[in-house]
Amino acid sequence: DQQVKQNSPSLSVQEGRISILNCDYTNSMFDYFLWYKKYPAEGPTFLISISSIKDKNEDGRFTVFLNKSAKHLSLHIVPSQPGDSAVYFCAASAWTGANNLFFGTGTRLTVIP
Amino acid sequence: DADVTQTPRNRITKTGKRIMLECSQTKGHDRMYWYRQDPGLGLQLIYYSFDVKDINKGEISDGYSVSRQAQAKFSLSLESAIPNQTALYFCATGGGGGGQFFGPGTRLTVL
């Protein structure tokens, strides 16, 4: 049973515009959320995270928003650049000791020059 | 030099063969993980280890075993490979703060 869901397998955006990637989760015990970016033939690389005590975290062009009541988070990239083209994975964990990550299925972002 | 390395990067093997995938890290992290990724799916946790004496099963451990030879080394074995174990395998390390750092992956094909 997929506890973290990314319902959009792909997204295309024009360079300079905003990219919005969405993620939903079902497990109410999750309290730490991460976004990873993956290029072909490479492992995922950490992008940005947010804990459940916040509803927004910003790092340069990347902002993550968390809506706990809706069990939904989103990643905003502004402005989008061609180098942002990659697969983005949402992940979640619960601070119950194991801290194991549960991943979504990924969204392939294509930024069109 | 890469913080998390995996060998081999690509491997083709036959059904029934035993195969080992190796992972080494220089980040000094206690926690190490093995994940599997199938096409169109997210990463699924196979096994994880919090230290040399602590090994735990993940979501999909059947058909796999692991060995934590040292803090820096964590290997994954398929005792008798089967075609549905064809996948991309990732090793990761974590310092306990929530984030994990991934190796470049091993593409395994079982014929």
Side-chain angles (χ1 to χ4, degrees):
Chain A
D1 187 28
Q2 195 77 22
Q3 298 187 62
V4 179
K5 299 177 183 178
Q6 294 176 256
N7 293 319
S8 298
S10 63
L11 174 68
S12 291
V13 172
Q14 289 286 340
E15 181 178 3
R17 306 294 290 268
I18 184 171
S19 295
I20 300 177
L21 294 91
N22 294 303
C23 178
D24 297 292
Y25 61 96
T26 57
N27 189 338
S28 59
M29 297 298 292
F30 288 151
D31 53 14
Y32 190 69
F33 305 89
L34 308 89
W35 284 93
Y36 282 83
K37 176 179 180 179
K38 185 183 181 302
Y39 292 119
E42 295 183 11
T45 55
F46 171 74
L47 191 58
I48 192 169
S49 65
I50 188 168
S51 75
S52 60
I53 62 173
K54 295 185 173 182
D55 55 18
K56 176 183 174 181
N57 189 27
E58 192 171 352
D59 183 2
R61 298 185 296 113
F62 302 90
T63 303
V64 56
F65 296 91
L66 175 62
N67 182 334
K68 290 187 291 293
S69 60
K71 294 190 178 66
H72 177 84
L73 64 155
S74 60
L75 175 68
H76 292 209
I77 306 174
V78 183
S80 300
Q81 299 174 353
D84 295 329
S85 297
V87 177
Y88 289 78
F89 290 99
C90 171
S93 71
W95 286 105
T96 56
N99 296 345
N100 294 334
L101 293 179
F102 293 86
F103 283 84
T105 54
T107 297
R108 181 178 301 278
L109 173 66
T110 302
V111 180
I112 303 165
Chain B
D1 288 337
D3 295 319
V4 183
T5 57
Q6 293 183 233
T7 56
R9 293 294 312 277
N10 289 283
R11 181 71 182 266
I12 299 174
T13 191
K14 294 182 179 179
T15 298
K17 294 291 188 180
R18 183 179 187 275
I19 183 167
M20 179 182 290
L21 309 183
E22 299 188 356
C23 176
S24 296
Q25 54 117 345
T26 58
K27 297 189 76 66
H29 289 160
D30 289 327
R31 301 177 181 214
M32 296 188 74
Y33 306 82
W34 275 104
Y35 289 91
R36 160 182 177 153
Q37 185 189 11
D38 294 282
L41 297 180
L43 282 74
Q44 294 176 281
L45 183 64
I46 306 173
Y47 270 95
Y48 61 101
S49 169
F50 286 174
D51 65 36
V52 174
K53 297 179 182 179
D54 186 292
I55 304 289
N56 303 278
K57 293 182 177 181
E59 303 170 76
I60 54 166
S61 58
D62 288 348
Y64 301 94
S65 62
V66 291
S67 174
R68 185 83 184 265
Q69 301 93 325
Q71 188 207 33
K73 295 184 182 297
F74 193 37
S75 59
L76 175 72
S77 294
L78 288 68
E79 296 301 326
S80 179
I82 57 177
N84 76 1
Q85 292 177 310
T86 293
L88 197 52
Y89 290 84
F90 289 102
C91 173
T93 73
Q100 294 179 16
F101 300 86
F102 285 81
T106 295
R107 185 171 297 279
L108 176 67
T109 302
V110 183
L111 301 177

